[in-house]
Amino acid sequence: MAYFDAASAAPLHPVARQALLASVDEGWADPARLYREGRRARMLLDAAREAVAEAVGCRADEVAFTSSGTRAVHSGVSGVLAGRRRVGRHLIVSSVEHSSVLHSAEAHEADGGTVTQVPVDRAGAVDPSAYAAALREDTALACLQSANHEVGTVQPVAEVAGACRAAGVPLLVDAAQSLGWGPVAGDWSLLTASAHKWGGPAGVGLLVVRKGVRFAPQGPADERESGRAPGFENIPAIVAAAASLRAVRAEAAAEAVRLRELTERIRVRVPDLVPDVEVVGEPERRLPGIVTFSCLYVDGEALLHELDREGFSVSSGSSCTSSTLTPSHVLRAMGVLSEGNVRVSLPPGTPAEDVDRFLEVLPGAVAGVREKLGAPTATVLRHEDALVVDALGKLCPLPVIELAKVIGEVPVGGTVRVLADDEAARLDIPAWCEMRGQEYVGEEPAEKGTAYVVRRVL
């Protein structure tokens, strides 16, 4: 089985496994105690903190260990917003942040705060000038990921951090996907990360708060981790997380070159091997191991199951997955195709042979899913100079499939109205028009669902 979902969770690094087992016997005691076992546990915890600080590029006393990356984000956002409440209650985030950041923003808004979402381009990157323009006198905090978890696009953190620093606004960087590859550049104020993204054990997050940042931990007071992460530290897991971070960093330069070659092979070959594919994300400024593409006329869940049967574990941001009926917020913000979406994220050490076999299997898997989905037909009506496709009650990608079948039946300049009640159609029909060179006119009200109007150009 080839595991191609490292962006969700990287396999446990061998160094992490060794460190975890070794520290189970040495780091079980309370590091706050002064007896021998407590001092030994404190030494392990302090050494792990020093190692992480060196990797991040900060002071050891700026590092707090949390129970997860999500917990680190929630604590970081709430702590700064509370600490800077006198400044104001305005929060800035990008539209493609991890859900932990967006959920924090929703909670802040529900509590009476204001939130500005900075948009991204079709590659998933923010414009630093848009962040600068969003800054206000009452801005308490800005958040920006170092790299996107779904499409691999690297964000201009240094430029955004410079604009925030000039305005006196702290910037929180979610570095979960990138920290294993190197430190985050720029004059940022807070940083969060998660050990299971770089091959450490799950259940260890990082919250780094630079000196001078106004920070008020929320919730009941606790003496552990400077009050920023309540509860007894999981020292064996923390030691393993620090050891694996140091190990992957030592391997990062060479492994990045190798994985970039493998992902570039996928980016170039997939459009040649599979018709009607859109490769998404920034082609150059991207993480080494992530490549994402979307296939027209394909059910994402069916494709993932087919690839799983062929021995490949991949992920998807498609609207057609078991966990959601709406497209990924990242793909939606980018305005790209969501149907048949596949994210390949290669863990370090992935053999080139596995990538070659994936490229051999993929065309047949896509063709098989398309063949199964080609059978259903929608009701097509002619209304004056337009065709009306009734795709009500049909889930993605069927509305787009039916649109593609009939677009040739209208003259150039004529229109097709697609009636659909699947939310994914709002993203996928405009994306289909972009790929096919047709004109997306817009939405019109309908008795049921929504009418999506497309004008034939070609």
Side-chain angles (χ1 to χ4, degrees), residues 114-147:
T114 58
V115 177
T116 296
Q117 274 201 15
V118 177
V120 297
D121 59 22
R122 282 185 65 85
V126 302
D127 184 345
S129 64
Y131 259 83
L135 292 166
R136 308 186 325 207
E137 289 186 0
D138 64 337
T139 302
L141 175 66
C143 301
L144 179 64
Q145 59 192 193
S146 56

Side-chain angles (χ1 to χ4, degrees), residues 10-380:
L12 193 67
H13 194 284
V15 169
R17 185 184 301 277
Q18 295 170 4
L20 183 66
L21 294 175
S23 56
V24 163
D25 293 331
E26 297 291 329
W28 52 268
D30 187 345
R33 302 306 177 200
L34 298 180
Y35 42 70
R36 181 180 305 169
E37 294 85 355
R39 294 197 305 272
R40 187 182 298 127
R42 168 58 65 179
M43 289 176 60
L44 289 173
L45 182 59
D46 288 346
R49 201 183 309 276
E50 290 281 355
V52 167
E54 181 181 1
V56 171
C58 66
R59 294 168 42 145
D61 58 358
E62 295 172 334
V63 176
F65 294 107
T66 67
S67 58
S68 67
T70 294
R71 180 70 263 173
V73 167
H74 292 172
S75 298
V77 171
S78 64
V80 174
L81 290 176
R84 287 174 50 83
R85 191 173 182 124
R86 289 185 180 180
V87 173
R89 305 203 63 202
H90 179 230
L91 171 66
I92 303 173
V93 301
S94 85
S95 58
V96 293
E97 293 299 311
H98 187 269
S99 59
S100 60
V101 174
L102 298 182
H103 290 161
S104 293
E106 290 171 1
H108 176 60
E109 207 164 22
D111 191 41
T114 58
V115 177
T116 296
Q117 274 201 15
V118 177
V120 297
D121 59 22
R122 282 185 65 85
V126 302
D127 184 345
S129 64
Y131 259 83
L135 292 166
R136 308 186 325 207
E137 289 186 0
D138 64 337
T139 302
L141 175 66
C143 301
L144 179 64
Q145 59 192 193
S146 56
N148 187 260
H149 49 291
E150 290 194 25
V151 299
T153 297
V154 172
Q155 301 290 1
V157 171
E159 294 91 332
V160 171
C164 290
R165 179 66 65 178
V169 174
L171 177 69
L172 184 152
V173 178
D174 172 14
Q177 287 298 336
S178 73
L179 194 60
W181 297 107
V184 177
D187 197 8
W188 45 267
S189 301
L190 297 95
L191 180 142
T192 62
S194 188
H196 74 279
K197 301 288 189 179
W198 67 66
V204 179
L206 301 182
L207 171 59
V208 179
V209 182
R210 296 282 201 191
K211 294 297 181 183
V213 176
R214 290 187 178 276
F215 192 92
Q218 299 302 285
D222 193 282
E223 295 75 22
R224 308 262 176 187
E225 296 300 302
S226 303
R228 294 169 183 165
F232 197 97
E233 297 93 343
N234 185 347
I235 293 177
I238 289 171
V239 170
S244 59
L245 181 56
R246 178 176 285 177
V248 297
R249 281 289 190 83
E251 305 160 355
E255 193 61 17
V257 172
R258 200 179 68 84
L259 290 187
R260 283 190 190 281
E261 192 279 328
L262 294 179
T263 53
E264 186 62 21
R265 189 182 305 180
I266 296 173
R267 286 179 63 85
V268 172
R269 292 284 307 281
V270 165
D272 292 337
L273 295 170
V274 182
D276 301 315
V277 164
E278 180 180 18
V279 180
V280 301
E282 167 61 43
E284 300 295 335
R285 287 173 55 96
R286 59 185 301 102
L287 291 175
I290 298 179
V291 57
T292 305
F293 55 89
S294 297
C295 308
L296 273 175
Y297 322 133
V298 169
D299 178 294
E301 186 174 1
L303 180 56
L304 262 58
H305 284 314
E306 193 64 33
L307 290 171
D308 182 53
R309 281 192 288 271
E310 294 288 349
F312 293 95
S313 301
V314 299
S315 182
S316 174
S318 171
S319 56
C320 302
T321 62
S322 56
S323 61
T324 178
L325 292 178
T326 58
S328 148
H329 72 276
V330 172
L331 300 180
R332 186 168 62 245
M334 293 168 62
V336 297
L337 186 71
S338 76
E339 64 184 57
N341 179 262
V342 174
R343 179 187 68 182
V344 173
S345 49
L346 307 177
T350 297
E353 293 77 12
D354 284 354
V355 172
D356 291 337
R357 190 167 65 85
F358 175 77
L359 292 171
E360 292 176 3
V361 165
L362 182 66
V366 174
V369 174
R370 283 175 173 166
E371 184 178 0
K372 293 175 184 176
L373 288 173
T377 58
T379 302
V380 180

